[in-house]
Structure formats: C-alpha cells, structure tokens
Amino acid sequence: MTPIVFPLPGGEALAADLATLAGWELGRTGFRRFPDGEASFRLDPLPSQRTAILAGALDDPDPKTVALLLMAATARELGGAPVLLVAPYLAYMRQDISFRAGEPVSARHYARLLSGAVDALVTVDPHLHRIHRLEEIYSIPTRVVSAAPLLAAWIKAEVADPFVVGPDEESIQWVRKVAEAAGAPWTVMRKRRLGDRKVQVEAPDLADFAGRAPVLVDDIVSSGRTLIESAARLSEQGFRPGHCVIVHDLTSAEARDAVAEAGLSLVSVDTVPNPSNALRAAPLLLPAIGELLAL
Ligand code: R5P
C-alpha cells in the first residue's frame, strides 16, 4: 500500500512536494493550536496498515517537536505500520558537548526522544561536528542526504570564477564537497564564538584567490553574525563579498535585514521555509526515503 505523507506544522510545501514527486497520498492534519497554545490535529485519512511519512523541518523545535511526538504516537496507534520522519532540518545538533558542568548534550537527548517516537529518519546535512555520524546517537535507521550537489550547481551556474569560503573549521566538510563539485578552489576561516550574536572570525592570507569571486558557504545561518564577520574579513583583503550559499536558513526578519545591510545575499535550500529558498530538497530526499521504506 502506498504511504501517506502528513505535513508537520510548517511542512505543508515539503509534504506536497514529496507526495507529488513520488505519487504518494498527501494526508491532511487540520493542524491548529488551542488558544492556550496546545496542539490539535486529526490525521485524515487514517493510516491503517499504511506507512505514515511525517514531513517538515524542525526549526523552532520546541513547539514543533511536541506536535511531532503527538502525530507520531497517533499514527502508530492507528496505523500498525512504520512511521517515518522526514525532517530536512534536524534540530539540536549543535549542542553536541557539555561545555560547562550542568549543560545538556542536547543532541544526544533529543536523538533518544525521536528514536522512541518514530521508526526511521531522513534528514539533510545535520550539523555533525563532535558527533560524527547520526548512528552514534540515533538508535533507529537513519539516512543523511547531502545538499552539496545543489549548492555546487547554483555556484557553477551563477558565479563566474568563484572561490568557496567557509567561516570556520567545522565547515570544511561542506565547503570541500561543494567546491570540488563546483570545480572551484576553497579555503576556510577560523571562528571563535563569544556569544549568541557575537563571533570573532580570522581569515588566512587570500592572495592566491585574487581575481576570483568569493562565495561564503555554511550549513546554517541563524543570527547572520558568522556570515557578516566573514564578509568583513574578505573585504579587508580587497574582495567584494556578495553571495552566501547556505543549506539551512534559520534567520529571523531582523537577522535577514542585518545580512542584507552588510551587502550579502542569501541563497538556501528549502529545508526550512524562508525567503532565501532557491534550491529544492525533495528530489534529493526521495531516494533516501525509498531506501528506508524498503527495509
Ligand atoms: C555553527 O557553527 C554553524 O555551522 C553556523 O556557522 C552557525 O550556526 C551560524 O550562526 P550565526 O548565523 O548565528 O552566526
């Protein structure tokens, strides 16, 4: 029987995209919140004996995760079939270490929560840094999709003589893949985070890239400070920074204004709905979903 794709809150476009591309049924949830903020929904059709695919980004994770847990539990109760989570943006991955006694390793706790709620997970470029593979923290089958080919294709098509710049050493994993696929040289800067909205970025000597157009690449933009500081270092060495190509755009309107005021334009994958979305995740996600459905 064909799966039913149910949108998580905010995941309506992604769920529709997946259902259309794969020929699966698009379910309805009628999701709303009671005046006190609690979640209300009704799965329609009932997922009796059919795999339920819950689709949507987990940005703004705290309210969305409770909705996800309730939907997954309901689908399991009514379905008797696997529940698969397609969360192109996976939350809490950056808190992968306890920096000070008493702080949670949220990535691990969150993984345990989701592993108990659904039967399999597909995501796009999770922030793997000190945790190297999702299998280290998730106990369910997972698939990770790389958005590098999308980012690389955009750079190839839109920027003449690019060089790819990552804002910190963590970004090497994305920057190298994107640059190689775009046939462009690359480098990374060094970043020190001083606060939620304060970072210090140092650039290496960029003389070798003279005459080329810098493209800043990162997995996540949130406050925008990382990109703004990185762009300032590029300007100091005579480059005109303009393009930032990002996987997950978590910016608020305020952060977007700050990025635009710095003369930067954001291009992102639609893993999180945002005005910068120019690249489509659904076609990349389908093969990974297919693999999990075949298990
Ligand atoms: C974390 O290290 C990520 O790779 C990003 O660099 C970071 O989340 C960007 O955050 P912000 O836009 O707030 O500087």
Side-chain angles (χ1 to χ4, degrees), residues 94 127 167-168 170 174 191 193 196 199 218-227:
R94 284 167 294 176
H127 189 85
D168 51 33
E170 288 164 53
W174 301 285
K191 177 172 89 178
R193 185 164 285 284
D196 290 344
V199 295
D218 206 357
D219 62 331
I220 297 173
V221 54
S222 175
S223 71
R225 296 314 309 178
T226 297
L227 293 178

Side-chain angles (χ1 to χ4, degrees), residues 8 14 51-58 68 76 82-91 93 107 110-128 133-145 285-293 295:
L8 291 169
L14 174 70
T51 298
I53 298 177
L54 305 181
L58 293 171
L68 158 65
R76 270 186 169 167
V83 177
L84 200 150
L85 171 61
V86 180
Y89 173 68
L90 190 56
M93 289 301 295
Y110 193 70
R112 199 173 297 143
L113 189 69
L114 294 196
S115 294
V118 297
D119 298 296
L121 161 72
V122 180
T123 190
V124 178
D125 289 322
H127 189 85
L128 293 169
R133 295 160 56 82
L134 283 186
E135 290 83 339
E136 290 172 33
I137 52 172
Y138 279 81
S139 58
I140 50 174
T142 57
R143 291 292 182 278
V144 167
V145 171
L285 289 163
L286 276 188
I289 299 171
E291 281 179 31
L292 290 175
L293 290 175
L295 290 179

Side-chain angles (χ1 to χ4, degrees), residues 10-11 13-14 57 59-60 64 88-89 219-224 244 246-257 259 265-280:
L14 174 70
D59 58 311
D60 193 15
K64 286 190 179 178
Y89 173 68
D219 62 331
I220 297 173
V221 54
S222 175
S223 71
C244 304
I246 307 296
V247 182
H248 311 291
D249 182 349
L250 302 177
T251 50
S252 61
E254 188 193 346
R256 282 194 288 280
D257 286 350
V259 168
S265 70
L266 286 178
V267 165
S268 68
V269 186
D270 60 359
T271 55
V272 180
N274 201 300
S276 68
N277 293 165
L279 308 168
R280 192 170 161 222

Side-chain angles (χ1 to χ4, degrees), residues 165-169 188-194 198-204 206 216 218 224-234 236-237:
V165 187
D168 51 33
E169 278 143 351
V188 293
M189 301 194 179
R190 269 193 313 277
K191 177 172 89 178
R192 206 153 71 90
R193 185 164 285 284
L194 307 173
K198 198 157 189 222
V199 295
Q200 208 171 53
V201 176
E202 284 172 35
L206 301 171
L216 283 161
D218 206 357
R225 296 314 309 178
T226 297
L227 293 178
I228 292 168
E229 285 301 312
S230 303
R233 297 298 87 74
L234 288 168
E236 286 162 9
Q237 294 199 40

